[in-house]
Amino acid sequence: QVQLVESGGGLVQAGGSLRLSCAASGLTFNRTPMGWFRQAPGKEREFVARISWSAVSTSYTDSVKGRFTISRDNAKNTVYLQMNSLKPEDTAVYYCAADTGRSGPRYDYWGQGTQVTVSS
């Protein structure tokens, strides 16, 4: 059974930093691309970042480029999202997701989410 558990969310002032973690189980983690998404109240879920299984490739939505960094530790079955220079508009529930697609992204598994609140 696949389980993804996020942690590390909380309340931070604008300009501050936060590091999110996602612990995975039930996956061949070291062969699975991973992603982070977020959803603000009243908004649709938004792609934030993606990392390939080998960590050779990463991608980010434009609004977080230069501020957020996705990384992974395959020995610990964990993916991270380092968030710097946080802005109030970053406030959202952040979700970890596993991409099991064979020929393109397909996020079939999701964590429960962790709340990030950035005060102005």
Side-chain angles (χ1 to χ4, degrees), residues 21-102:
S21 298
C22 172
S25 62
L27 290 170
T28 306
F29 184 80
N30 61 359
R31 291 293 184 271
T32 304
M34 302 292 294
W36 285 97
F37 293 74
R38 66 187 181 186
Q39 187 168 21
K43 306 294 183 180
E44 293 190 355
R45 190 167 296 185
E46 173 192 24
F47 167 79
V48 176
R50 172 185 170 86
I51 187 167
S52 65
W53 63 265
S54 64
V56 170
S57 298
T58 59
S59 61
Y60 302 88
T61 191
D62 286 344
S63 63
V64 308
K65 287 180 179 177
R67 300 189 298 120
F68 290 11
T69 302
I70 188 170
S71 62
R72 67 192 297 159
D73 186 341
N74 287 344
K76 296 181 179 180
N77 286 359
T78 301
V79 62
Y80 305 95
L81 186 67
Q82 178 67 47
M83 305 184 293
N84 298 326
S85 302
L86 283 161
K87 304 174 180 179
E89 50 263 45
D90 295 319
T91 295
V93 177
Y94 283 71
Y95 297 90
C96 175
D99 176 11
T100 60
R102 299 291 181 89

